[in-house]
Amino acid sequence: MKYFTQLPSPSEQTLELIRKIARTYRAIKLSDGTCVPLCIN
């Protein structure tokens, strides 16, 4: 696809930071369809 660039892959340090954020912050979908952010720390 022409929209993707040929930039190098993110470093392992960047990926580790993304993993930490993903483990800490979650979103809960309520029965009325809204999402509520939640910090699990």
Side-chain angles (χ1 to χ4, degrees):
M1 298 187 81
K2 66 180 181 175
Y3 298 109
F4 293 105
T5 61
Q6 298 300 321
L7 295 175
S9 300
S11 69
E12 190 59 38
Q13 188 177 12
T14 303
L15 292 174
E16 186 59 35
L17 177 66
I18 292 169
R19 288 182 193 114
K20 276 186 188 177
I21 293 170
R23 282 191 296 263
T24 305
Y25 293 97
R26 305 287 179 177
I28 297 176
K29 192 167 195 176
L30 300 177
S31 59
D32 63 356
T34 59
C35 287
V36 177
L38 178 69
C39 178
I40 306 170
N41 199 356

